[in-house]
Amino acid sequence: MDFTYNEFPISVDLNTLKTYFDLRQCKLPKSLAKSFPLTTDEGGEGVAEVYQPKSLRHLVLDFFLENWCDTPIFKELAEQKDRNYILGNLDVNLPLELLSAHIRDDFFWRKSYQQRWKTLYYRTHSYPCCPPRPATPPTLSKPCPAAQQKGKQVTKSWLNIYMERHLQEFIENLPTSEYEQEGVQTQVLDICASYINQLEINYLQPSMDGNNDHIPLDFILSNLPELRTLRLTYCTKTIGTQFYLGCNTMSRKDANILAKGLAQCHELVNFCFHNTTLEPYQLGLFAHSLDKGCHHLTALSLEHCSLGDEGIRQFLSACNKESFGTLKYLDLTNNKITSEGAYIIARVIKNLHLEKISLRLNPIGSDGAAAIFGILDCLPMRNVDISGCSITDTITLLFVNFLGHNRTLWYIDMSNNELGMHFGEQLLKVIGRNKCLKQLDLRNTGLTLEMCNKVKDILKENFKNWD
């Protein structure tokens, strides 16, 4: 009987082993579904040796696994096959502090993530400033959002992904009554803080005292030195029978605390605040904090926050000519902004270096769109999204003249606006002069399918010449 044990790296898939090994000649013990039977029966089928004793080496490694909390041995093992055995059999439910201090292997944390959350889905929030390039083969690595902004391809480790999801779950499920307990948040941050590059908070638990307060985020944000991307909302998903009016809103105390925390996020690159009704005075606080503390802010997104024209005025009044000098992407989707608010935005962004702006689902009308197009020649703008903005064919002449001489825009989204046939006829006369525009979205604008196809065919040549 063959007592030789062979371990394969846990990254090797079973199908890969079957491809390179002949099952009829392999004599490997059954272990972790990656080994093959030792003997064969009369019919040639494999039969596992259930009672085969383990080697001395495996007995020692099993002893290490059983006592790993007391003696966490991993780096001390010289042989890679011994490390693979530890990684393949180590309990993923051991204390997180202990595991993170001794294990850095990407496949172990990938396995831990999958066993805890029953999925391997993970989304990185990036804010591209131009339309997507032609599709490329998918990769298994996870891009770091901060690296994406700098144009670098960096693999995001599963240890970082695991820690980010762990902190997210802690914040979302922490009741306000337990936050004041000594050491609760400090203990989690001591373990996770150095690994957090991206933080997404999808909901927060409100207090049950009727004050609409949520857990303070200033201490948490100020202790995340590597935080690059923050996506945040103060909405509440479930509250049960303890619902009260206003529990799903942001209180004055919440706004002051969040503003204090944002001022400490010195490495923040992407900030998205969404699905939370904001008052004008709150926007002034946030603008001051972001301008004061976030000197590398590249993308700012305030989606579905009901800002209104007054909110836009308060936010921009807290800024000066030197504010947000690094901002490239501004998203104000669905904020009840009218033409008045569009004029205010136009006056301010002409001093910035924006490459993308989104005013989608705001009723700015043709006058507001004209104000935006009027200052685009002063900006290195690549992407403009004004879909669903109540724009009519009264913008035809201005847009046609603009398109004839603009040499910066790559992508324009004007879908879901009432532009009409006359707009399409005038557009086809000048679209060929623009050699820079790559895509023009004209869905649901009143143009015929034939017109839309002609525009696409003309722009295909520009897209083919895109370096």
Side-chain angles (χ1 to χ4, degrees):
M1 184 179 292
D2 187 1
F3 287 96
T4 303
Y5 279 71
N6 295 301
E7 281 77 37
F8 292 89
I10 60 177
S11 59
V12 177
D13 185 74
L14 177 59
N15 292 328
T16 304
L17 292 179
K18 291 180 179 179
T19 301
Y20 291 97
F21 289 90
D22 187 352
L23 300 185
R24 295 171 297 181
Q25 299 179 0
C26 288
K27 291 185 178 181
L28 301 176
K30 188 175 182 181
S31 174
L32 296 175
K34 287 200 175 177
S35 301
F36 303 103
L38 284 170
T39 61
T40 57
D41 59 13
E42 296 179 357
E45 298 294 334
V47 178
E49 290 286 349
V50 180
Y51 300 106
Q52 178 177 330
K54 288 187 175 183
S55 66
L56 178 59
R57 167 176 164 264
H58 283 80
L59 291 174
V60 173
L61 292 175
D62 287 343
F63 176 81
F64 289 158
L65 289 170
E66 293 173 2
N67 300 275
W68 209 78
C69 286
D70 300 324
T71 310
I73 296 177
F74 181 74
K75 296 180 181 179
E76 294 79 3
L77 298 174
E79 296 289 337
Q80 184 61 44
K81 61 180 181 179
D82 295 338
R83 294 186 179 186
N84 290 337
Y85 187 86
I86 294 293
L87 292 174
N89 294 274
L90 188 61
D91 185 5
V92 298
N93 296 316
L94 291 176
L96 184 59
E97 182 179 6
L98 186 65
L99 291 173
S100 62
H102 295 87
I103 304 295
R104 293 288 190 274
D105 188 89
D106 217 34
F107 293 99
F108 174 81
W109 289 106
R110 183 177 184 269
K111 178 182 70 172
S112 301
Y113 187 96
Q114 185 176 24
Q115 289 192 18
R116 179 171 175 181
W117 289 289
K118 310 303 178 186
T119 181
L120 281 178
Y121 171 76
Y122 178 76
R123 178 174 61 175
T124 55
H125 293 283
S126 59
Y127 302 92
C129 296
C130 58
R133 291 180 179 272
T136 55
T139 59
L140 296 179
S141 61
K142 301 297 177 180
C144 175
Q148 285 181 338
Q149 295 297 329
K150 297 179 181 179
K152 300 179 181 179
Q153 295 296 327
V154 179
T155 300
K156 190 177 183 69
S157 72
W158 278 98
L159 175 56
N160 288 77
I161 295 173
Y162 186 97
M163 291 297 186
E164 289 170 359
R165 183 70 179 271
H166 176 74
L167 181 60
Q168 174 188 344
E169 192 174 83
F170 169 79
I171 295 174
E172 290 177 348
N173 297 310
L174 181 65
T176 54
S177 58
E178 295 183 10
Y179 181 85
E180 301 298 334
Q181 295 180 9
E182 184 176 358
V184 172
Q185 65 276 12
T186 303
Q187 182 180 3
V188 175
L189 289 174
D190 288 343
I191 301 173
C192 302
S194 59
Y195 302 101
I196 305 300
N197 303 122
Q198 171 179 309
L199 181 60
E200 178 178 6
I201 302 175
N202 294 318
Y203 58 91
L204 288 171
Q205 300 293 335
S207 63
M208 294 294 102
D209 56 5
N211 293 326
N212 304 350
D213 297 331
H214 300 76
I215 64 169
L217 294 178
D218 55 338
F219 180 80
I220 295 175
L221 294 178
S222 61
N223 283 277
L224 299 177
E226 301 299 324
L227 185 63
R228 301 290 192 276
T229 299
L230 175 61
R231 185 175 175 86
L232 173 65
T233 178
Y234 273 74
C235 72
T236 303
K237 287 190 174 181
T238 57
I239 193 170
T241 59
Q242 296 177 320
F243 174 83
Y244 60 89
L245 190 63
C247 66
N248 205 30
T249 60
M250 187 180 189
S251 68
R252 181 178 293 271
K253 180 180 178 181
D254 289 334
N256 292 329
I257 291 176
L258 178 60
K260 182 180 178 181
L262 289 174
Q264 301 299 317
C265 296
H266 301 300
E267 300 299 323
L268 194 64
V269 176
N270 303 326
F271 177 53
C272 176
F273 202 169
H274 64 98
N275 295 91
T276 304
T277 301
L278 298 178
E279 299 295 333
Y281 78 91
Q282 295 173 339
L283 289 162
L285 288 174
F286 299 151
H288 179 73
S289 298
L290 292 171
D291 185 32
K292 176 183 177 182
C294 307
H295 303 297
H296 306 288
L297 192 65
T298 303
L300 175 61
S301 179
L302 300 172
E303 307 172 2
H304 316 289
C305 292
S306 301
L307 307 183
D309 296 337
E310 182 59 29
I312 292 296
R313 184 180 290 105
Q314 289 285 342
F315 185 89
L316 298 178
S317 63
C319 308
N320 52 53
K321 292 183 178 181
E322 298 179 357
S323 299
F324 302 107
T326 59
L327 194 65
K328 302 293 184 183
Y329 172 40
L330 178 62
D331 189 348
L332 298 173
T333 297
N334 190 23
N335 279 299
K336 303 179 181 179
I337 301 172
T338 66
S339 58
E340 181 182 353
Y343 280 115
I344 299 173
I345 294 172
R347 287 200 302 268
V348 175
I349 65 174
K350 66 180 181 181
N351 298 318
L352 304 178
H353 300 282
L354 286 182
E355 295 182 11
K356 178 178 179 179
I357 185 171
S358 177
L359 293 171
R360 185 169 60 95
L361 302 178
N362 288 292
I364 61 174
S366 297
D367 292 340
I372 299 298
F373 283 121
I375 51 93
L376 292 185
D377 290 334
C378 306
L379 299 170
M381 192 73 73
R382 301 295 188 188
N383 190 319
V384 173
D385 187 348
I386 51 174
S387 59
C389 289
S390 303
I391 301 173
T392 64
D393 59 355
T394 56
I395 201 175
T396 301
L397 181 60
L398 183 145
F399 182 76
V400 167
N401 292 335
F402 165 80
L403 203 62
H405 62 78
N406 183 266
R407 295 295 179 267
T408 59
L409 275 178
W410 290 352
Y411 177 75
I412 304 175
D413 189 346
M414 299 185 69
S415 60
N416 299 290
N417 289 297
E418 299 179 5
L419 302 180
M421 296 288 292
H422 178 68
F423 177 90
E425 293 170 356
Q426 298 301 315
L427 177 64
L428 287 173
K429 293 180 181 179
V430 300
I431 189 68
R433 304 176 192 171
N434 192 310
K435 303 301 181 183
C436 184
L437 191 65
K438 310 300 185 297
Q439 295 182 28
L440 177 59
D441 194 338
L442 295 171
R443 293 172 297 169
N444 301 323
T445 55
L447 276 69
T448 64
L449 181 60
E450 182 182 359
M451 286 183 174
C452 293
N453 289 334
K454 286 182 179 180
V455 171
K456 287 182 181 179
D457 292 338
I458 295 173
L459 296 181
K460 278 182 180 178
E461 296 300 321
N462 294 349
F463 198 89
K464 289 179 181 178
N465 298 327
W466 191 8
D467 295 331

